[in-house]
C-alpha cells in the first residue's frame, strides 16, 4: 500500500468518524426513495407544520409553511403572507399547524394557523391577488389546547376546529353572520384534566351512524342525535394510548364494513397500532389492538423502529385505493435531549396497507427519506397530477417537499 492510498483511507476513516460522533450520519449518507424527488424549500425553522392549498387561484396547489407560500407547480416562486420570523431549533415555533380553507366564502383559499399549544389560532384572509403585503389577520380562537388539534377538511360543512380548551373537549365554528368574529366554542365533554399539552385527538364516524365522533387517547365521544343546545356527548372508554397519541384516524382497515381506529401509541415514545372494531355480545363496540410498530424500542417491524411519531396522516400512497399510514420521527421535539433517541435518524415512512384473505392485514414499511423526519403535522396530497400523493414537511430542519415521480 503506497502513501497516497494510506492517506486516502485515513481521510475516509476520519470523515466517517466525524459523521458518527457529530451525529451527521443522515447528511453524510442520506437516503431518499427514488420514487420521490426531494426539494428543500427552506432550511430555516419557521413552523412544525405545512400544508397545500390553491392560494393564487390558478387551479394548481401551492405550499404554505410558516410565513411563506411557494407557488405550484414548480415551487420556485415564494412570497410571505406574514412577516417572516425564524425560530431557534432548540426552542419552539409559534406555528404548529397550517390549513387551507375558504373561511369567508369568497371562493379563495385562506390560511388557518394554530400556534403553540394553549395559545391563539388565527386565520389570514386571502387578498385575492390585490396586494403583495401581509394578509389581514383574524383571531379565530383564543386558547387551542391539545397537541393534535385539527380543522375539519370537509368544505361542504362549516369550518370546524376540533380541540380542547378550559379542560373540555369540543369544537369551534365561526359566526354565520360575520366570519371575521372570533369563533364560538361548543364543548362536548365535562371538565377534566385536559390541558394545553394533552396528546392525541381525532375525528371520524366510529359507530357508522353517519355523524362524526371525536377520539382522544382514553376513548371516543359519540355524537348525539342533535347538537342543539350543546349537549354533552357520551364517552366510550378505550385505552388507545397510555402516554398520548398524535393525530387519530377512523378507517375500515380490514374491509369488514366496521370503522377501525389508527393511531400512534406515544407521540414522544414508540409504537403505532390499529384497533379493530368488533361488535360485542351486547351490541356495544369493543376494540382489539393490532401492533404495527412495537412500543418496545428493542423490537422492530421488518427491521424498522423509530421514536416520536408526533405527526400521522392517512392517505393512499401507492394509488391502489387503500389508505396507508404516513408518519415519521419528529426531529428534536424537545431539542437534542429529553426524548427517546433524540439524535436518531429523522426518518419519514409510509406503511403500505395490504388486505389478505379472511380479513388479515399487513402494514409494510417503506422508507421515503432518512434526513427530514416530521414536525407536528404531515400531509400527503397529489399536487403534481400523477395520481399519487406528494408529501410536505415543516419542522426544525426546514420545509421539505417530496414530489412523487
Amino acid at each position: 500500500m503506497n502513501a497516497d492510498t494510506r492517506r486516502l483511507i485515513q481521510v475516509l476513516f476520519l470523515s466517517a468518524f466525524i459523521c458518527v460522533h457529530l451525529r451527521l450520519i443522515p447528511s453524510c449518507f442520506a437516503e431518499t426513495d427514488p420514487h420521490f424527488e426531494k426539494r428543500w424549500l427552506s432550511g430555516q425553522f419557521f413552523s412544525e407544520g405545512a400544508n397545500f392549498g390553491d392560494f393564487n387561484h390558478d387551479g394548481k396547489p401551492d405550499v404554505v409553511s410558516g410565513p411563506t407560500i411557494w407557488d405550484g407547480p414548480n415551487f420556485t416562486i415564494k412570497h410571505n403572507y406574514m412577516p417572516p420570523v425564524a425560530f431557534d431549533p432548540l426552542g419552539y415555533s409559534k406555528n404548529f399547524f397550517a390549513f387551507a380553507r375558504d373561511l369567508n366564502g369568497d371562493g379563495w383559499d385562506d390560511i388557518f394557523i394554530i400556534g403553540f399549544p394553549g395559545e391563539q389560532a388565527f386565520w389570514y384572509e386571502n387578498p385575492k391577488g390585490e396586494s403583495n403585503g401581509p394578509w389581514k389577520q383574524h383571531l379565530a380562537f383564543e386558547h387551542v389546547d391539545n397537541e393534535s388539534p385539527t380543522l375539519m377538511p370537509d368544505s361542504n360543512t362549516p369550518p370546524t376546529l376540533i380541540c380542547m380548551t378550559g379542560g373540555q373537549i369540543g369544537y369551534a365554528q365561526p359566526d354565520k353572520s360575520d366570519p371575521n368574529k372570533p369563533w364560538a366554542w361548543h364543548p362536548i365533554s365535562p371538565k377534566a384534566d385536559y390541558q394545553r399539552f394533552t396528546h392525541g385527538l381525532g375525528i371520524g364516524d366510529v359507530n357508522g351512524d353517519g355523524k362524526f365522533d371525536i377520539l382522544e387517547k382514553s376513548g371516543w365521544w359519540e355524537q348525539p342525535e342533535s347538537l342543539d343546545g350543546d349537549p354533552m356527548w357520551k364517552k366510550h372508554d378505550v385505552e388507545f394510548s397510555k402516554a398520548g397519541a398524535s393525530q387519530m384516524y377512523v378507517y375500515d382497515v380490514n374491509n369488514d364494513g366496521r370503522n377501525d381506529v389508527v393511531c400512534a401509541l406515544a407521540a414522544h415514545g414508540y409504537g403505532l397500532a390499529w384497533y379493530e372494531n368488533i361488535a360485542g355480545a351486547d351490541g356495544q363496540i369493543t376494540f382489539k389492538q393490532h401492533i404495527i410498530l412495537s412500543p418496545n424500542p428493542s423490537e422492530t417491524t421488518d427491521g424498522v423502529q423509530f421514536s416520536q411519531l408526533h405527526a400521522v396522516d392517512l392517505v393512499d400512497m401507492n394509488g391502489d385505493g387503500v389508505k396507508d399510514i404516513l408518519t415519521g420521527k419528529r426531529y428534536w421535539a424537545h431539542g437534542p435531549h429529553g426524548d427517546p433517541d433524540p439524535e436518531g435518524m429523522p426518518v419519514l415512512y409510509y406503511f403500505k396497507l395490504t388486505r389478505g384473505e379472511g380479513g388479515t392485514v399487513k402494514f409494510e414499511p417503506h422508507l421515503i427519506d432518512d434526513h427530514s423526519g416530521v414536525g407536528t403535522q404531515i400531509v400527503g396530497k397529489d399536487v403534481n397530477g400523477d395520481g399519487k400523493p406528494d408529501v410536505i414537511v415543516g419542522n426544525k430542519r426546514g420545509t421539505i417537499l417530496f414530489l412523487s415521480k
Side-chain angles (χ1 to χ4, degrees), residues 37-43 50-56 58-65 68-79 379-386 388-393 399-404:
E37 175 192 347
K38 181 179 181 180
R39 292 193 188 180
W40 286 87
L41 300 185
S42 171
N51 217 319
F52 300 106
D54 181 11
F55 303 111
N56 56 6
D58 65 353
K60 299 176 178 63
D62 313 305
V63 164
V64 58
S65 178
T68 306
I69 295 170
W70 285 265
D71 293 342
N74 297 318
F75 307 102
T76 55
I77 298 174
K78 67 177 185 177
H79 41 96
V379 177
K381 180 179 179 179
D382 181 17
V383 297
N384 62 4
D386 67 352
K388 295 182 180 180
D390 311 286
V391 179
I392 188 66
V393 171
T399 300
I400 309 116
L401 173 65
F402 296 89
L403 293 171
S404 63

Side-chain angles (χ1 to χ4, degrees), residues 251-253 315-324 353-355:
Y251 182 62
D252 184 0
V253 172
V315 59
D316 179 8
M317 291 297 296
N318 59 351
D320 63 357
V322 177
K323 290 186 178 181
D324 311 297
L353 170 57
T354 302
R355 295 165 172 162

Side-chain angles (χ1 to χ4, degrees), residues 87-310:
F87 298 93
D88 184 349
L90 293 175
Y92 305 97
S93 76
K94 293 289 187 178
N95 190 320
F96 269 54
F97 299 89
F99 299 92
R101 182 79 182 267
D102 177 10
L103 296 172
N104 57 0
D106 65 0
W108 290 66
D109 277 350
D110 306 298
I111 296 173
F112 189 93
I113 298 294
I114 300 175
F116 189 79
E119 297 185 1
Q120 297 165 319
F122 295 98
W123 69 276
Y124 295 83
E125 185 176 351
N126 194 323
K128 298 182 288 189
E130 297 174 0
S131 171
N132 293 322
W135 292 16
K136 186 176 181 179
Q137 182 190 74
H138 302 271
L139 174 65
F141 200 66
E142 188 67 40
H143 299 288
V144 181
D145 292 345
N146 194 282
E147 293 204 19
S148 299
T150 190
L151 190 69
M152 287 183 62
D154 188 356
S155 60
N156 296 317
T157 62
T160 303
L161 169 66
I162 308 295
C163 67
M164 299 172 177
T165 195
Q168 293 180 286
I169 306 172
Y171 61 97
Q173 292 180 324
D175 189 316
K176 293 180 180 179
S177 64
D178 186 356
N180 298 327
K181 291 182 179 179
W183 295 13
W185 174 243
H186 303 274
I188 65 114
S189 77
K191 286 195 174 185
D193 59 351
Y194 306 121
Q195 41 88 11
R196 59 162 52 186
F197 300 122
T198 296
H199 286 70
L201 200 61
I203 54 173
D205 182 5
V206 176
N207 57 1
D209 64 355
K211 299 188 293 289
F212 77 84
D213 307 300
I214 295 180
L215 301 97
E216 43 111 341
K217 67 176 184 176
S218 64
W220 62 282
W221 296 80
E222 181 180 354
Q223 183 178 157
E225 287 296 322
S226 173
L227 297 178
D228 293 342
D230 289 341
M232 294 293 99
W233 297 17
K234 180 180 179 180
K235 185 185 181 184
H236 301 265
D237 291 324
V238 183
E239 189 180 84
F240 291 117
S241 166
K242 291 182 180 180
S246 49
Q247 290 86 356
M248 305 175 71
Y249 293 92
V250 177
Y251 182 62
D252 184 0
V253 172
N254 57 358
N255 201 30
D256 66 352
R258 302 177 65 86
N259 286 332
D260 311 300
V261 172
V262 175
C263 69
L265 298 180
H268 292 283
Y270 294 86
L272 179 67
W274 72 279
Y275 290 82
E276 184 179 0
N277 182 330
I278 299 173
D282 57 357
Q284 296 298 311
I285 294 173
T286 61
F287 285 95
K288 179 181 179 181
Q289 184 190 69
H290 298 268
I291 293 294
I292 301 169
L293 283 178
S294 173
N296 185 341
S298 65
E299 296 179 1
T300 65
T301 299
D302 295 336
V304 173
Q305 180 64 294
F306 56 91
S307 65
Q308 302 192 69
L309 288 73
H310 212 301

